[in-house]
Structure formats: structure tokens, C-alpha cells
Amino acid sequence: MKPQRTGQHEREDDPLSPLAASFYARPSPVVARDLLGRLLVEERGPGRVVGRIVESEAYEEGDPASHSFRGPTPRNSVMFGAPGRMYVYFTYGMHHCMNVVTGSDGEGSAVLLRAVEPLEGIDVMCGRRGVAARPLLCSGPGRLCQAYGVGRADNGHDLLDSASGLFIAAGDPLSREHAAAGPRVGVREAAERPWRFFEEGSVYVSRRSPGRRRPGR
DNA sequence: TGATAGATCGGCT
DNA sequence: GCCGATCTATCAG
């Protein structure tokens, strides 16, 4: 049960208003951390799907782990384009990963969205994923794309346009004390650039098992 | 509960 | 030809 939004969604204080271009036009590690707590919204399918971003990773040009490291190619060209667009690629023969292009036009930097906490449209996500357990719906880049119905066709998608039905809304940014940083997943020499950002203690992030502590000890 | 291998294919060398 | 910003099933303990 939500109040109807009748053309008021451009208001700055509306948590469902899309983030502006200036938000993305900053260095990717800055954007990655600032994305925590924001809302990933999709309303192109059977119902509105909303999730709170709890995990992200930054990739910079000149970073050996980044697709943009060896310069522009047909595959990664979106990464070198204007900030605020989505870079979607296919990997491991079966998974998609979605990124948000950051920095300035011509620079190959982006932020990988790794996990969100499902808030709305749980049934839609379950249907797309084929699983029911909430922590398994969007905890990982491949799962996230599947839950949101995002694929190669969305490469280059404009996130600044909320009318497109897929965008990131302002939400409620995560406070500093609840945000943690660490080495990126699957990246060699990962410790040198601790550009994975996540919400401390969230059960909706990926890779939470090692060293997991239960409350009380 | 934690570690490991297999699936599967587009892009780059 | 090889490798990968992954996920899942399966096995061992």
C-alpha cells in the first residue's frame, strides 16, 4: 500500500527521485560507497521491484582488474561513455553483471552492483530467480541481474531517465559507521585497492560466510 | 559448514 | 585457445 505518485517524482526530497548526473560524475570509489543505501528500481515488468543497495565495487581506468584497463573495445565502450548509464556484460557463459558508469565522459570507470536488500516486488524476484529465500534473491552480481530481469539488451541504458523504468533513486544513504570496505571479489592483488563496499552485518551481501560470527559471540 | 569442481560462451590474445 | 568482476551442486569432515 503506497501513496500514488502523480508527477511529483522530480522532487529532490522524494526518496524515489532518480539520482542526477552529478552523482555519477565522480571517482568510482566515491560513487561506490555513496551508492550504499540507495534504491535500485525496476518497473518494466509485472510490478515494481525495489531493492536497497548493500554491496558495490569500484573499477577505475588503469586498474588491471577493470575491463577498461586495455582501452576501449566494442564490448566495454559504454564504460568509456557518459556517466549515469548502465554497463552490462555477460560472463562465465551464463551470468550477467550490471555496472553504473562513473567519472567523466571518455574515462573508463564504473561501479559493479553486487547485492541489494529486496524491499518491494519480492514475488516478482522469486519468479525470475526460481528461489524463495530472500537472502538468495539478490546477493551477487549474477543473481541481482536475474532478479531484476537485466540482460545484454540493457547495456548502455540511461539511468538518469526514471521514465525508462530502470533507475537508481536517492533512497536513504548509509551512514559511515555502517559501511565497510574490503578487497574486491575475484580480483588479484585485491588488497591494494579495497574498493568493495558493503553494509556491515547485512545478510543480503554476497560472500558473508567466511568468519561469520553469530550474535552473542 | 566449508571447500572444490563443473557448467558454458563471448571477448580478447 | 584461454580465461573470467559467477552460481550451484556435491563431497568431505
Side-chain angles (χ1 to χ4, degrees):
Chain A
M1 205 74 91
K2 285 254 166 189
Q4 287 255 318
R5 292 161 67 248
T6 54
Q8 296 295 325
H9 40 303
E10 304 307 331
R11 289 171 52 88
E12 295 247 336
D13 56 350
D14 185 342
L16 279 178
S17 67
L19 294 172
S22 56
F23 178 92
Y24 301 101
R26 298 178 291 167
S28 62
V30 175
V31 176
R33 194 179 61 75
D34 201 1
L35 275 172
L36 297 181
R38 309 294 185 165
L39 303 177
L40 180 61
V41 182
E42 187 265 336
E43 40 195 357
R44 307 179 293 182
R48 188 159 76 186
V49 170
V50 181
R52 192 171 147 270
I53 298 173
V54 294
E55 184 178 355
S56 62
E57 281 181 2
Y59 288 86
E60 282 284 282
E61 191 174 343
D63 170 8
S66 173
H67 285 181
S68 60
F69 181 58
R70 294 178 193 281
T73 67
R75 180 207 199 189
N76 65 21
S77 63
V78 171
M79 246 184 120
F80 286 87
R85 296 208 295 165
M86 199 145 91
Y87 168 47
V88 181
Y89 65 88
F90 182 67
T91 190
Y92 287 96
M94 60 185 77
H95 296 294
H96 295 279
C97 295
M98 68 169 109
N99 302 250
V100 170
V101 178
T102 60
S104 55
D105 199 341
E107 177 193 323
S109 65
V111 172
L112 170 68
L113 300 183
R114 291 189 54 90
V116 310
E117 173 183 344
L119 296 181
E120 206 178 310
I122 311 281
D123 49 338
V124 176
M125 297 192 207
C126 290
R128 286 171 175 159
R129 290 270 300 117
V131 298
R134 253 184 226 213
L136 295 180
L137 287 179
C138 303
S139 54
R143 294 168 174 175
L144 182 59
C145 283
Q146 191 179 19
Y148 273 77
V150 166
R152 279 183 63 84
D154 297 304
N155 191 29
H157 180 96
D158 184 7
L159 290 166
L160 307 178
D161 176 19
S162 64
S164 68
L166 180 61
F167 61 97
I168 298 175
D172 192 12
L174 193 67
S175 67
R176 264 184 188 274
E177 64 256 38
H178 292 121
R184 291 171 293 177
V185 175
V187 172
R188 292 201 283 190
E189 299 161 9
E192 294 177 14
R193 300 175 206 239
W195 287 349
R196 172 178 179 242
F197 301 92
F198 56 99
E199 181 180 20
E200 188 79 62
S202 172
V203 300
Y204 298 101
V205 305
S206 66
R207 305 284 175 115
R208 93 195 98 95
S209 32
R212 166 176 149 250
R213 278 170 223 153
R214 284 181 317 211
R217 224 291 122 167

